[in-house]
Amino acid sequence: MTEDNEDFLDEEFLDANNSVDIDDENKGLYEHLNITVDGNQEPLRIDKFLFNFRQNSSRNKISQTCRAGNVVVNGNPVKQNYRVKPGDQISVLLTHPPRENTIIPQDIPINIVYEDDDLVVVDKEPGMVVHPGFGNWDKTLVNALAFHFQKNGEKSDLDRVGLVHRIDKDTSGLLVIAKNEYALSFLAKQFFERKTKRLYWAFVWGNVKDDEGTITGHIGRHPKNRMQMHTYVDGSQGKHAVTHYKVLERFKYMTWVECKLETGRTHQIRAHFKHIGHTLFNDERYEGNIALRGVNLPKYKQFIKNVFDVLPRHALHAHTLGFIHPTTKKELYFESPMPQDMTDAVKKWRNYLEN
């Protein structure tokens, strides 16, 4: 069995001395640099200084990074003509460090809900991997977008599709993709600083006790099952994670919840709800693909099988996405309706309880 490339994201581009906490969902998309300027440094424009320091980044990329406010010197954002001085403390957020693999455009249907010269918003279908990686080198959302841009004659200053964030293969819902370096840097800062508006819908096993609540606990690798993440309440391992939830509808043995994340850890919703005894419905990796709640009757077991048949993946959907547009500086807000498989599951649960 191959591992979804969204599930466990690589750390190869993170600065070992980085004191900034990068959310796991964005690992591999951003690189954070902390630089102390040498005492013998001659005055030099910061774009030239960073180009010399990071030669695999273009001058244009560095210029757009400055323009987006992602280059900070001694606590203040600077423009590309700032001249560095000895002792300056420089912090840089660079988008998408270079990858070796080439993106091959592929004609794959995708649901584009918004598009302009700077960005595109996609409502991703479940089952589609976002970016090529181990075990999934093609037929991804990025391959589909590359074809879409090529077909429309898009002129972009990106050497590949500008991913700002990612979601798991079997999670459905909204994603924003940048079309140029400035848009990518501007959007990246909002995700990096957790200023976007995102809500997830999830179906979880059992009747969640409280109508609203917060789950807090460090998330790290499971001590025995390396394919899972685990919640460490004592903070002994992993990284700090906070999930807020609200119950939207109860189905006696299953609950529909809305989730808002303060952090973006790998499998955060999946691990947190398993920790409180409410594993995501039909989440095979977390043993949610068996009847965890209900009665021990053949009719009920057959019903659960029927629901699994119409919803053959973990029940998680990226429902909303809001952010500030890089050019207009106006807020854009999108809502994705519940996908058909989750809608069908809701109908079956309602019918079952009524009858």
Side-chain angles (χ1 to χ4, degrees), residues 88 96 101 107 124-125 190 228 247 263 266 274 310 330 352:
D88 276 350
H96 70 74
N101 55 297
D107 187 4
K124 187 183 82 70
E125 296 292 329
Q190 293 180 65
Q228 290 186 11
V247 171
T263 51
T266 302
K274 182 178 177 65
V310 300
K330 295 181 179 179
Y352 177 82

Side-chain angles (χ1 to χ4, degrees), residues 231-285:
T231 302
Y232 297 88
V233 178
D234 61 1
S236 61
Q237 298 183 49
K239 293 182 179 180
H240 175 67
V242 179
T243 302
H244 304 285
Y245 69 85
K246 179 172 66 174
V247 171
L248 298 181
E249 189 169 352
R250 300 177 184 276
F251 302 98
K252 190 174 181 180
Y253 305 127
M254 187 188 83
T255 306
W256 173 10
V257 295
E258 180 179 87
C259 303
K260 181 179 180 180
L261 308 185
E262 280 192 21
T263 51
R265 307 305 177 201
T266 302
H267 294 189
Q268 178 169 323
I269 293 174
R270 300 163 76 179
H272 266 175
F273 275 92
K274 182 178 177 65
H275 170 69
I276 65 170
H278 297 286
T279 303
L280 257 65
F281 189 80
N282 206 12
D283 189 348
E284 180 180 3
R285 183 164 291 184

Side-chain angles (χ1 to χ4, degrees), residues 37-98:
V37 179
D38 187 85
N40 297 320
Q41 174 67 48
E42 296 288 335
L44 182 67
R45 281 176 56 117
I46 195 164
D47 55 352
K48 294 181 178 179
F49 174 83
L50 291 175
F51 179 72
N52 294 334
F53 183 87
R54 196 67 178 154
Q55 294 185 4
N56 62 346
S57 293
S58 67
R59 285 284 294 276
N60 177 61
K61 181 182 183 67
I62 292 171
S63 175
Q64 298 300 341
T65 300
C66 291
R67 184 183 167 207
N70 292 358
V71 178
V72 176
V73 179
N74 303 325
N76 298 308
V78 298
K79 301 300 182 182
Q80 61 264 32
N81 61 355
Y82 173 86
R83 291 185 175 273
V84 299
K85 302 182 296 294
D88 276 350
Q89 299 291 325
I90 303 175
S91 176
V92 186
L93 178 65
L94 287 171
T95 55
H96 70 74

Side-chain angles (χ1 to χ4, degrees), residues 93-154:
L93 178 65
L94 287 171
T95 55
H96 70 74
R99 295 287 189 174
E100 294 181 358
N101 55 297
T102 301
I103 303 301
I104 301 172
Q106 293 179 304
D107 187 4
I108 304 169
I110 49 176
N111 182 14
I112 294 176
V113 298
Y114 177 85
E115 184 172 13
D116 60 26
D117 292 339
D118 292 307
L119 56 90
V120 56
V121 176
V122 175
D123 194 348
K124 187 183 82 70
E125 296 292 329
M128 175 178 276
V129 173
V130 171
H131 191 278
F134 179 76
N136 297 283
W137 294 112
D138 62 357
K139 300 179 182 179
T140 72
L141 176 64
V142 165
N143 296 109
L145 284 166
F147 180 87
H148 171 75
F149 296 152
Q150 183 183 77
K151 178 182 176 182
N152 293 338
E154 293 280 353

Side-chain angles (χ1 to χ4, degrees), residues 18-33:
N18 179 14
S19 61
V20 177
D21 189 14
I22 297 180
D23 281 348
D24 294 3
E25 68 172 5
N26 296 326
K27 286 179 180 176
L29 299 182
Y30 312 142
E31 180 179 21
H32 191 273
L33 305 175

